Amino acid sequence: MNAVEIKDLYKSYEDGKIKALNGVSLTIKDGEFVSIIGPSGSGKSTLLNMLGALDVPDSGSINVAGHDLRTSKKLNEFRGEKIGFIFQLHNLIPNISVRENIEIPMYTQKMSSGEMKDKALKLLGDVGLEDKADILPNKLSGGERQRVAIARALANEPSIILADEPTGSLDSKTSSKILKLLIDLHKDKNVTLIIVTHDMDVAKLADRVIEVLDGEIISAGDESLINSKIDV
Ligand SMILES: Nc1ncnc2c1ncn2[C@@H]1O[C@H](COP(=O)(O)OP(=O)(O)OP(=O)(O)O)[C@@H](O)[C@H]1O
Ligand SMILES: [Mg+2]
């Protein structure tokens, strides 16, 4: 199955003056690891937002994890069950502890509070922050917050992880650790990993590098280019 099937996706802002996505077609297979690169303003985050059903396209079709995002009436469930979001603005809730932030995605599942706590602590261990469970997010450094956001993104065992510059604000050592964590998940649990990055060293780790320019995909790695030629 394919994790992502997009055809002729268009999205504009400001009454059509800004064309953020200009006819994007893309297929990503289940369990693939792709990176998305391109200059600032080229449409990378817009594309990622579409994949996570955080924004709606003007036209075109978009299917993610078997859900038709343009007709689905269950987008909240889709986001909660299928997608792990790692965005640069971490959006941690300030007045609850680190551990409670990680438990939030678990509320859509049938888990006891003890199970949620155990799982949150295990995830905190995975990102190297077991000793920070009970403090508030504003006591953490930027990189530590990013790691909490990553632990939270993994809490519902998503089939697809969408990461927008996940290592952008991290030092190189922490950055490698985080990448290793994500890549291990991709390898061990067949999670589809889609990472937007400015860093070519990060991009090259992926099975495939997708290049975006002016709202269009100008290169999608070999395989998909061949596929799209066959499609036409
Ligand atoms: N909510 C919005 N309202 C108006 N314009 C927007 C909105 N979101 C994005 N844009 C515009 O759409 C274009 C694509 O933006 P997008 O955020 O997708 O770029 P990006 O490739 O992620 O850039 P960066 O690398 O700087 O994060 C830009 O011209 C941006 O200014
Ligand atoms: Mg962006």
Side-chain angles (χ1 to χ4, degrees):
M1 217 181 86
N2 290 321
V4 171
E5 289 174 12
I6 289 179
K7 273 250 155 69
D8 290 327
L9 211 64
Y10 285 82
K11 176 69 181 182
S12 61
Y13 294 109
E14 313 287 330
D15 294 326
K17 283 202 276 294
I18 296 171
K19 295 183 167 46
L21 295 180
N22 224 345
V24 166
S25 298
L26 177 66
T27 302
I28 298 172
K29 288 202 237 46
D30 259 343
E32 231 190 319
F33 171 17
V34 303
S35 56
I36 301 176
I37 60 166
S40 181
S42 57
K44 305 179 298 295
S45 295
T46 306
L47 178 58
L48 217 61
N49 289 343
M50 298 290 166
L51 293 175
L54 297 175
D55 203 349
V56 279
D58 299 333
S59 65
S61 66
I62 176 163
N63 191 297
V64 182
H67 291 248
D68 182 338
L69 301 189
R70 298 207 65 191
T71 57
S72 172
K73 300 240 172 352
K74 296 182 172 171
L75 291 179
N76 279 330
E77 276 172 55
F78 161 78
R79 288 185 209 100
E81 288 169 13
K82 301 288 181 188
I83 305 290
F85 292 100
I86 307 171
F87 287 173
Q88 209 169 2
L89 299 171
H90 320 296
N91 300 321
L92 297 178
I93 297 173
N95 54 346
I96 60 174
S97 74
V98 161
R99 174 175 60 77
E100 289 163 326
N101 264 278
I102 295 171
E103 288 174 6
I104 285 175
M106 301 180 203
Y107 280 98
T108 59
Q109 300 168 15
K110 291 192 180 76
M111 293 173 76
S112 71
S113 59
E115 286 169 334
M116 298 203 313
K117 186 175 174 187
D118 288 348
K119 187 164 184 183
L121 291 176
K122 155 112 195 13
L123 286 162
L124 271 173
D126 290 345
V127 296
L129 290 175
E130 50 278 88
D131 53 335
K132 306 282 188 189
D134 296 322
I135 68 171
L136 296 177
N138 63 8
K139 297 266 161 63
L140 299 175
S141 74
E144 288 168 341
R145 285 179 213 185
Q146 183 71 319
R147 284 189 270 163
V148 175
I150 288 170
R152 185 185 55 184
L154 306 181
N156 58 350
E157 289 167 25
S159 59
I160 301 177
I161 292 177
L162 302 176
D164 203 344
E165 298 280 0
T167 56
S169 56
L170 305 181
D171 63 273
S172 63
K173 196 167 146 229
T174 314
S175 161
S176 326
K177 262 210 236 154
I178 295 295
L179 282 168
K180 184 173 181 317
L181 182 75
L182 292 175
I183 293 171
D184 284 351
L185 267 170
H186 151 69
K187 286 189 181 145
D188 300 343
K189 298 199 171 163
N190 203 39
V191 171
T192 308
L193 187 54
I194 304 175
I195 296 186
V196 168
T197 181
H198 279 109
D199 185 339
M200 237 1 247
D201 289 334
V202 174
K204 280 191 302 204
L205 296 171
D207 304 325
R208 195 145 71 88
V209 180
I210 293 164
E211 208 176 337
V212 180
L213 182 67
D214 296 336
E216 293 181 42
I217 292 179
I218 55 167
S219 155
D222 321 332
E223 230 181 313
S224 151
L225 273 186
I226 295 163
N227 285 343
S228 66
K229 276 177 194 147
I230 291 168
D231 278 355
V232 177

